[in-house]
Amino acid sequence: MTDTPSDAISSSVSPSASPSVSPSASPSLTLLGLGAMGTAFARAWLAVGYSLTVWNRTPSRAEALIAEGARPAASAAEAVAENGLVVTCLLDDASVGAALADADLTGKDLVDLTTGTPSEARTRAAWAEARGARFLSGGIMAVPPMIGAPEAGGYVLYSGSQDLFETHRTTLAPPAGTRFVGGNPGHAALQDVALLSGMYGMIAGAAHAFALVRGEKDISPAEFAPLLAQWVAAMSTMIPQIGEQLESGDYESGVTSGLAMQVAGIKTLLSTAQDQNVSPELLTSVFDLMRRRAETGGGREGFAGMVDLLG
Ligand code: FVH
């Protein structure tokens, strides 16, 4: 499935506002899955007065929410029957299939916040549409304490049915910001995984940095941490340039710290790691890519050319 122009990535994340909902206008929806994340979403919707029907495979996990005003359902099928908008927040895609196996999805709007692969999202979309439902896949870019807390900056990437998204975007907003990223149901999951991958790369660098300094009695990891955080944040400003270079195909214009210079510095980083008895394993693959790119004509580039080496 390919995007159409109308599926273009929306340019802003709407704030996870806490709309004041009058009782007569109170939206109603069903939520399947009351793990840590599902419970956080449920509380955010209950806090703004929505009528929320909940179901969880292990019923005891619903008890606290029922005491807070959620409506219980005896089965997932019964919960689905209660509302037109049905949200799933389950462990994985297999659990979504299991939970919805006996539910009648005809005419329903199904929003799946379960983390999965792009392929799983596309297959689940086709599965839902074959059962008469509109489908939207969501990738949650937040951890539970960020839900219902707009100042924390959490948001959900959505892709799939734009009509569904436009119909329910206000209802979906209280737990976290909403960002529609296109009609391809797999694109929320793909961008979710891409963003998580960027995070793990950052964590790899941070782990190596802490390992270098923590053996020194005069360097406190806690005092070093803000230096590291500020440096990584400052260096993240090169990411937009990489994006622009990948689009233009010009990997050299505007580059101030070319790969050739950076590759020359690798020996300093590796020698220091050896002196500090720190394994370089988290950084060797990125160093190898930098060398390969510099040796094959990319010495005046920044990091965009390394993306070409990856795929
Ligand atoms: N928690 C987080 O920090 C991350 C943040 C980013 C997004 N993820 C994804 O969100 C999905 C839900 O995560 P969660 O934190 O709520 O996960 P758990 O607390 O482990 O709860 C899992 C729920 O799934 C139910 N479940 C599991 N298997 C089945 C099944 N076969 N049939 C029906 N329900 C199933 C489980 O039920 P129970 O164990 O209480 O009976 C929980 O309700 C997830 O995709 C994250 O990757 C969270």
Side-chain angles (χ1 to χ4, degrees), residues 118-252:
S119 171
E120 285 173 336
R122 282 189 284 268
T123 303
R124 185 59 62 197
W127 176 92
E129 285 157 14
R131 283 158 182 75
R134 295 193 295 189
F135 182 84
L136 194 62
S137 174
I140 304 170
M141 304 315 301
V143 293
M146 295 166 72
I147 301 304
E151 69 284 359
Y155 61 93
V156 181
L157 298 165
Y158 290 103
S159 68
S161 168
Q162 187 163 11
D163 288 343
L164 189 168
F165 178 75
E166 297 300 343
T167 303
H168 297 296
R169 65 187 306 170
T170 308
T171 303
L172 294 170
T178 57
R179 182 169 189 143
F180 186 73
V181 293
N184 185 322
H187 279 184
L190 180 59
Q191 293 189 50
D192 182 345
V193 169
L195 292 171
L196 288 175
S197 301
M199 177 191 77
Y200 286 119
M202 176 195 71
I203 291 298
H208 184 89
F210 276 120
L212 287 176
V213 301
R214 76 163 173 182
E216 298 295 312
K217 72 176 171 47
D218 293 332
I219 301 179
S220 143
E223 288 175 11
F224 175 71
L227 290 180
L228 179 58
Q230 286 160 18
W231 174 248
V232 170
M235 289 302 97
S236 74
T237 57
M238 73 175 80
I239 292 174
Q241 184 189 51
I242 296 173
E244 285 162 16
Q245 291 184 338
L246 289 171
E247 284 213 7
S248 71
D250 174 0
Y251 295 174
E252 295 186 0

Side-chain angles (χ1 to χ4, degrees), residues 33-39 55-58 61 89-92 94-96 98-99 113-116 140-144 192:
L34 301 173
M37 188 56 87
T39 297
W55 173 86
N56 194 63
R57 179 182 62 175
T58 305
R61 289 181 97 166
C89 187
L90 297 162
L91 184 65
D92 54 20
S95 55
V96 176
L113 301 179
T114 305
T115 300
I140 304 170
M141 304 315 301
V143 293
D192 182 345

